[in-house]
Amino acid sequence: MKILEGINVSTSYGGRIIHDSVSWSVKSGEIYGFLGGSGSGKTTLMKTMMYLKKPDLGEVKFEGKNMWQSPLKTQNEIKLQTGVMFQFGALFSSMSVLDNVGVMLKEYSALSQSQIDEISMFWIQKVGLKKESATLYPAELSGGMKKRAALARALVLSPKVLFLDEPNSGLDPVSSRQMDTLVCELRDTLGLSVVMVTHDADSIFDILDRFLIIENKKIAFEGSMGEIKNLKVNPLQELFDMRKNSGK
Ligand SMILES: Nc1ncnc2c1ncn2[C@@H]1O[C@H](COP(=O)(O)OP(=O)(O)OP(=O)(O)O)[C@@H](O)[C@H]1O
């Protein structure tokens, strides 16, 4: 089943066209990647699915509902079914990890503080942080721990879809692979659909079920790794060669 879909979507900034009638679809439960060169429009396209960038033309659908044309109530319901971790997913520096994770519950639920803390603690541990990390402040966390805390915050409302903007950026290779493993575990245990922008070659090969590649305002490819390697001209040939040379 398709959980997200873009149909003939065009976007621009101040008259500069970024996407020219592009279409894609994300199936429920898959890890779907947005690939493309720097500035090709990966983040912008992802933002059309988060109510952060309205397309000039076309439709973006969430479970078949036209996201941008739905009544406000439906739009708010859809927003609450998505979690987002941005590349520089800033945590609030003056708040502990526990309070950072609980922010959305405080905003959108009528739960008591102790209930909020209990749920936040569940997610803190679910993303692999120790209980003791809950009282720490962002300045006291490593890069990997910050990402995990930001992930817990994105998950706290139990979303159906998790959007990740370059989840491995700034992480060392070991932490990057740990992040990949975590994303797969979350998908498997929670039945999440994950949509991620990534440049990380290992993530691209190891965890994406399907992906699209943006090139010159269009979608140059949408499909799986198995499908792309059978193409006469492989848009990811350089990546395939790099991987081969590194013995993977
Ligand atoms: N708010 C904005 N206002 C004007 N132009 C923007 C805005 N956001 C992005 N752009 C431009 O749109 C183009 C696509 O940007 P976008 O961030 O979507 O690309 P990207 O593929 O995610 O890039 P990167 O891989 O470098 O993060 C770029 O040329 C960028 O400068």
Side-chain angles (χ1 to χ4, degrees), residues 81-180:
Q81 293 180 68
T82 63
V84 185
M85 184 176 89
F86 281 109
Q87 186 175 356
F88 304 108
L91 298 164
F92 297 111
S93 58
S94 60
M95 289 183 185
S96 67
V97 168
L98 189 71
D99 289 341
N100 262 287
V101 173
V103 156
M104 295 292 278
L105 287 170
K106 215 164 181 167
E107 181 83 21
Y108 291 104
S109 78
L111 297 171
S112 68
Q113 188 60 50
S114 66
Q115 287 169 318
I116 290 175
D117 289 349
E118 198 177 316
I119 296 170
S120 302
M121 196 56 107
F122 167 82
W123 287 107
I124 285 169
Q125 292 176 88
K126 184 83 189 162
V127 299
L129 287 172
K130 294 206 174 78
K131 257 185 169 176
E132 299 76 64
S133 324
T135 53
L136 299 178
Y137 284 80
E140 300 171 296
L141 305 177
S142 70
M145 289 166 85
K146 278 185 195 151
K147 295 261 185 193
R148 283 173 194 262
L151 202 49
R153 189 171 64 181
L155 290 167
V156 81
L157 294 177
S158 303
K160 286 185 180 170
V161 178
L162 179 63
F163 292 109
L164 305 174
D165 195 1
E166 305 214 21
N168 300 326
S169 73
L171 296 183
D172 61 61
V174 173
S175 306
S176 284
R177 300 294 64 81
Q178 287 171 344
M179 179 55 79
D180 282 352

Side-chain angles (χ1 to χ4, degrees), residues 29-36 164 167-168 180 183-184 187 194-213 221 223-226 236 239:
E30 71 182 354
I31 301 180
Y32 187 97
F34 275 34
L35 316 187
L164 305 174
N168 300 326
D180 282 352
V183 170
C184 288
R187 186 272 304 270
V194 180
V195 180
M196 62 195 278
V197 170
T198 183
H199 288 288
D200 187 290
D202 287 324
S203 303
I204 293 171
F205 278 91
D206 296 341
I207 72 165
L208 297 184
D209 293 307
R210 290 191 317 125
F211 54 90
L212 62 75
I213 303 174
F221 174 82
S224 66
M225 211 35 103
L236 292 184
L239 223 54

Side-chain angles (χ1 to χ4, degrees), residues 4 24 43-55 60-82 84 86 163:
L4 282 161
W24 70 95
T43 304
T44 300
L45 204 56
M46 197 159 81
K47 283 181 175 175
T48 66
M49 298 183 280
M50 305 175 197
Y51 291 106
L52 292 176
K53 174 70 183 161
K54 189 173 184 187
V60 183
K61 292 184 172 178
F62 180 93
E63 293 185 325
K65 296 180 201 105
N66 186 330
M67 289 182 64
W68 291 91
Q69 302 302 327
S70 295
L72 221 54
K73 184 170 173 284
T74 310
Q75 293 196 19
N76 286 332
E77 284 163 7
I78 293 173
K79 277 181 203 167
L80 293 178
Q81 293 180 68
T82 63
V84 185
F86 281 109
F163 292 109

